[in-house]
Amino acid sequence: MIQNIQKKLAPARWTKLIPLAFITYSLAYLDRANYGFGAASGLAEDLNITPGISSLLGALFFLGYFFFQIPGGIYAEKRSAKQLIFWSLILWGILATATGMVHDVKTLAAIRFLLGVAESVVMPAMLVFLSHWFTKKERSKANTFLFLGNPITVLWMSVLSGYLVDAFGWRGMFIIEGIPAIIWAGIWWVVFVDRPKDAKWLTAQEKEDIESALAAEQTDIKEIKNYSEAFRSGKVLSLSFIHFFWNIGMYGFIMWLPSILKSASGLGIVATGWLSAAPYLLAVPLMLAASWYSDKFLNRKIIVLLFLGLGAVCFIGSFTVGTSNFWLSYVLLMIAGGAMYTPYGPFFAAIPDMIPRNVMAGAMAFIVSFGALGSFVGSWIVGYLNGITGGPGASYVFMGSSLVLAVIITSLTSFSSKASTQPKVQTC
């Protein structure tokens, strides 16, 4: 029956909604990831910031990001993602622009933390929003188009930021790159709709077909009574720790790749920008291929295992090669970066497959919040290790080891919707 309904679902969803989600997440990523370029191009020297403090400042974003994930996801489910993201866009655009105007460390620390708070609602709200519109057989593809905003943004941001820093300095880069979010808020408010029932561009039959297909998918999922039970379930805890260790490697890489490459290669900031873009270019075809496989065969787990394992191997390989061959070490690092991005669509597509809708928003946000905590740890510790060791070797081992732990937990976790979700503090 689901297959018959599937063929009738409105194709306009893809052209009306996916560009909105993509651009919004892209702007959020632009204003969180460009700190690495500021740190590599004079921000630390101008504000007299030590390497240890610089790594903490980069990580403070994720501490703010951690605290408001769950309220944001629940608000998006119960009330409106439209209102939530509108105000978030305005606030983070102001804060991102203000980063280019700071003159002391305390103000910069406050801005970084508040920027994390402002952006914290975006990812859970977007994932909840997409789960209201796209079915199980479409969800990995829809999520992947959302998450493509990550590598594609860092791809062009890496190149653009290099040129902006070269032309206007790090202050000009932050100011210029913060403005688009404020402009986009107005467009978002005009064109966004929360649910199929709100869309004037759908017929009554199309709305009914979408809602029926989504409701049918919930029939085989074991009931969870409330958020407290969901947060204690073995399945949710397993997914949370996978995301935690995964993001240690991911955001240690994203935040400090420009500094690592600039130091190791001895090249200027523009050339560093081009080198920093390559992992994100590789990620795009890998993510599209993985989402196609995931939706066709509904095997989300194998994608997560394969690519996180590849990322771990390449990190450790890059460390082993070290400075003896910069270009081989760089190629391994590029593959590690692309591999880490690849499973995002399938991983988050698995959550609505496994968790009942009454608690899905809170569970999704809980898992995302653990990822934010991992991002904080990764971006702080990687920057700290680079500073105290004078090179990236120790941080490569740290990031690779974290990915190994994510792979181990994934291998022990059932991605089946019919597995028990009774409260257990263990992997399933």
Side-chain angles (χ1 to χ4, degrees):
M1 179 177 178
I2 294 177
Q3 290 294 334
N4 292 334
I5 295 174
Q6 181 75 35
K7 296 177 182 178
K8 300 177 184 178
L9 298 185
R13 293 170 302 149
W14 296 95
T15 56
K16 296 280 188 179
L17 303 175
I18 293 299
L20 276 176
F22 174 84
I23 293 171
T24 304
Y25 195 61
S26 294
L27 292 174
Y29 230 84
L30 168 66
D31 290 330
R32 80 180 64 167
N34 59 6
Y35 181 82
F37 271 89
S41 57
L43 182 152
E45 291 83 354
D46 290 352
L47 300 184
N48 298 313
I49 301 172
T50 65
I53 295 299
S54 182
S55 65
L56 178 59
L57 287 169
L60 273 175
F61 169 91
F62 299 105
L63 194 59
Y65 200 76
F66 168 74
F67 285 112
F68 290 88
Q69 297 279 330
I70 295 173
I74 294 174
Y75 186 94
E77 175 68 36
K78 302 294 185 183
R79 301 289 295 277
S80 171
K82 179 175 183 174
Q83 296 174 6
L84 195 63
I85 293 177
F86 172 76
W87 291 110
S88 176
L89 279 161
I90 293 174
L91 182 57
W92 97 56
I94 292 170
L95 290 166
T97 299
T99 306
M101 304 176 187
V102 299
H103 293 279
D104 63 87
V105 175
K106 290 182 179 178
T107 304
L108 179 58
I111 287 174
R112 289 295 299 171
F113 178 81
L114 291 173
L115 184 64
V117 172
E119 289 190 17
S120 64
V121 302
V122 176
M123 186 171 172
M126 283 296 187
L127 289 168
V128 168
F129 157 67
L130 292 176
S131 74
H132 292 159
W133 283 88
F134 296 96
T135 64
K136 186 174 183 176
K137 294 288 288 183
E138 304 169 313
R139 204 166 285 135
S140 183
K141 180 181 176 183
N143 286 350
T144 294
F145 279 124
L146 170 67
F147 287 118
L148 278 172
N150 180 322
I152 289 176
T153 299
V154 182
L155 172 64
W156 62 260
M157 183 274 292
S158 297
V159 176
L160 176 64
S161 294
Y163 283 107
L164 288 177
V165 167
D166 192 53
F168 304 105
W170 64 268
R171 293 185 183 278
M173 178 199 71
F174 282 119
I175 292 169
I176 292 169
E177 291 183 348
I179 293 171
I182 301 172
I183 297 171
W184 182 250
I187 300 171
W188 169 271
W189 185 259
V190 171
V191 299
F192 181 83
V193 286
D194 277 298
R195 296 173 184 265
K197 65 181 178 64
D198 303 318
K200 296 179 180 179
W201 41 270
L202 289 177
T203 67
Q205 185 62 53
E206 287 173 328
K207 295 175 184 180
E208 183 180 343
D209 288 345
I210 294 169
E211 296 290 359
S212 297
L214 293 171
E217 293 176 351
Q218 293 286 305
T219 56
D220 291 333
I221 301 177
K222 184 176 179 63
E223 180 184 357
I224 297 179
K225 295 179 181 178
N226 52 44
Y227 287 123
S228 176
E229 183 177 333
F231 298 160
R232 291 181 290 116
S233 75
K235 199 173 292 290
V236 171
L237 287 171
S238 295
L239 294 171
S240 298
F241 279 105
I242 293 167
H243 200 212
F244 172 80
F245 288 112
W246 177 1
N247 271 20
I248 286 178
M250 172 64 78
Y251 281 90
F253 177 87
I254 291 170
M255 290 297 296
W256 300 109
L257 181 64
S259 294
I260 289 171
L261 291 179
K262 189 171 185 292
S263 173
S265 68
L267 298 171
I269 193 65
V270 172
T272 298
W274 281 100
L275 288 178
S276 298
Y280 311 107
L281 182 62
L282 174 64
V284 174
L286 290 178
M287 291 176 75
L288 290 171
S291 70
W292 174 85
Y293 176 90
S294 174
D295 280 343
K296 183 173 178 63
F297 297 101
L298 295 179
N299 191 343
R300 323 287 196 196
K301 181 174 179 174
I302 191 65
I303 297 293
V304 179
L305 279 172
L306 176 64
F307 285 98
L308 292 190
L310 178 60
V313 168
C314 289
F315 263 129
I316 295 169
S318 185
F319 163 73
T320 303
V321 172
T323 56
S324 62
N325 188 329
F326 168 76
W327 290 109
L328 177 57
S329 178
Y330 168 71
V331 168
L332 290 170
L333 199 61
M334 179 183 71
I335 296 171
M340 282 190 295
Y341 273 108
T342 302
Y344 269 117
F347 179 79
F348 283 101
I351 298 171
D353 297 350
M354 299 154 63
I355 308 297
R357 181 161 294 280
N358 67 307
V359 295
M360 191 272 293
M364 184 94 72
F366 186 82
I367 294 164
V368 173
S369 72
F370 264 66
L373 196 59
S375 303
F376 171 74
V377 172
S379 54
W380 183 13
I381 299 300
V382 168
Y384 178 76
L385 289 174
N386 291 342
I388 64 171
T389 63
S395 63
Y396 286 5
V397 173
F398 176 64
M399 290 185 282
S401 300
S402 297
L403 291 176
V404 169
L405 289 172
V407 169
I408 292 171
I409 300 172
T410 302
S411 69
L412 298 172
T413 302
S414 170
F415 277 48
S416 169
S417 63
K418 296 182 181 181
S420 172
T421 52
Q422 292 299 318
K424 299 174 185 177
V425 186
Q426 62 183 45
T427 56
C428 300

